């Protein structure tokens, strides 16, 4: 078993005194490379906070975060920006596509921002597999919710990141579109051996993962092992 990400003694507190919120309160966790890991919990349990810390979008109050051996919480802001761009693929509930860019431009945007040359063979394979081949010149406003999420998945996977982090990616979709997107994520995980960490509050969705971790009140209560 190869571990790609590890957190130790992770805490994230907001505020001070009586009003302090302990979003994470001492989390130890290892993520296995190439696996689909699901993090479940009720609203406010700390699952989104954990995902944001893994992705370098926030800094912990205390504790350590390692991804591919790099101590993420010790990185300076400029280094952290490079980490987010090169090592992490983000998939959001609200898609986060740029309205004035075409599907093609949205998918390529993270690489363009970093001055990196895309693997166009992989781009072609990815967009065909995700059913976007005929929608590359369309704008986000011309897409269905499911197609927007397919574009977001392609954008996350194209740089071949170490981690793909998905925050309730089916939350804004109808049942059928949500099932299709979930199936595509699972297929991407299997086909490209992509390490996928996804959060949800839906137990039915969680059953598709290799491992289910439950978090409540800022602590892991079930490691799914």
């Amino acid at each position: 078993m190869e571990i790609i990400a590890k957190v130790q003694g992770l805490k994230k507190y907001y505020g001070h005194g009586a009003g302090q919120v302990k979003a994470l309160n001492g989390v130890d966790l290892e993520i296995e490379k190439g696996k689909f890991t699901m993090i479940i919990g009720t609203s406010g349990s700390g699952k989104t906070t954990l995902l944001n810390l893994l992705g370098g979008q926030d800094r912990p109050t205390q504790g350590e975060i390692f991804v591919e051996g790099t101590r993420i919480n010790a990185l300076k802001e400029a280094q952290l920006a490079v980490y987010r761009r090169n090592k992490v693929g983000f998939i959001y509930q609200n898609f986060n596509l740029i309205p004035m860019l075409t599907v093609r431009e949205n998918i390529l945007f993270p690489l363009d921002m970093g001055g990196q040359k895309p693997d166009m063979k992989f781009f072609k394979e990815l967009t065909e597999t995700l059913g976007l081949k005929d929608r590359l010149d369309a704008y986000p406003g011309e897409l269905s919710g499911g197609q927007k999420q397919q574009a977001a998945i392609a954008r996350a996977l194209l740089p071949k990141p170490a981690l793909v982090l998905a925050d309730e990616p089916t939350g804004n979709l109808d049942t059928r579109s949500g099932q299709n997107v979930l199936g595509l994520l699972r297929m991407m995980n299997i086909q490209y051996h992509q390490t996928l960490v996804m959060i949800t509050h839906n137990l039915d969705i969680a059953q598709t993962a290799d491992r289910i971790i439950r978090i409540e009140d800022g602590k892991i209560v079930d490691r799914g092992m």
Side-chain angles (χ1 to χ4, degrees):
M1 181 176 72
E2 184 178 355
I3 302 301
I4 195 168
K6 178 170 66 174
V7 302
Q8 298 174 319
L10 201 61
K11 297 181 180 182
K12 181 63 180 180
Y13 297 168
Y14 297 97
H16 302 280
Q20 186 179 69
V21 175
K22 297 180 178 180
L24 291 179
N25 195 22
V27 170
D28 297 299
L29 179 64
E30 293 182 341
I31 303 295
E32 189 176 351
K33 185 175 183 178
K35 297 297 184 180
F36 186 175
T37 299
M38 194 77 72
I39 300 174
I40 64 172
T42 55
S43 179
S45 61
K47 57 188 188 296
T48 296
T49 300
L50 178 57
L51 206 72
N52 288 340
L53 290 170
L54 278 171
Q57 294 176 306
D58 202 354
R59 290 188 180 274
T61 302
Q62 187 176 317
E64 307 286 354
I65 307 167
F66 297 91
V67 176
E68 291 191 322
T70 299
R71 187 167 165 246
I72 303 307
N73 52 291
L75 297 179
K76 296 179 180 179
E77 285 303 322
Q79 295 171 316
L80 206 55
V82 172
Y83 164 75
R84 288 192 296 265
R85 187 168 62 238
N86 296 341
K87 293 292 185 179
V88 186
F90 297 99
I91 303 172
Y92 301 97
Q93 182 175 331
N94 60 355
F95 321 124
N96 277 22
L97 299 177
I98 301 171
M100 67 285 300
L101 299 183
T102 64
V103 169
R104 184 194 315 275
E105 291 166 339
N106 265 287
I107 295 170
L108 293 172
F109 184 74
L111 291 175
D112 289 342
M113 282 287 290
Q116 298 168 277
K117 186 176 180 181
D119 179 344
M120 293 311 294
K121 181 180 178 182
F122 184 47
F123 174 89
K124 184 174 183 292
E125 178 184 348
L126 199 57
T127 52
E128 286 181 355
T129 301
L130 287 166
L132 293 169
K133 178 182 177 182
D134 298 324
R135 305 297 287 155
L136 293 176
D137 294 321
Y139 289 89
E142 301 171 319
L143 304 180
S144 67
Q147 289 171 332
K148 289 177 184 177
Q149 199 56 288
Q150 289 162 15
I153 292 170
R155 179 183 58 193
L157 291 176
L158 185 61
K160 302 176 184 177
L163 289 174
V164 172
L165 305 178
D167 186 354
E168 299 269 10
T170 62
N172 281 339
L173 303 176
D174 59 64
T175 301
R176 183 175 179 181
S177 296
Q179 289 173 340
N180 288 341
V181 164
L182 190 62
L184 287 169
L185 283 170
R186 186 53 164 159
M187 181 174 66
M188 296 294 102
N189 161 250
I190 294 170
Q191 186 168 334
Y192 300 115
H193 309 290
Q194 179 64 63
T195 305
L196 175 61
V197 181
M198 176 175 159
I199 64 175
T200 186
H201 63 272
N202 187 317
L203 287 175
D204 291 333
I205 286 176
Q207 300 305 318
T208 61
D210 296 313
R211 179 186 180 192
I212 302 173
I213 296 166
R214 181 185 291 275
I215 186 169
E216 294 296 345
D217 299 321
K219 295 184 177 182
I220 293 177
V221 296
D222 187 348
R223 297 184 174 277
M225 299 178 73

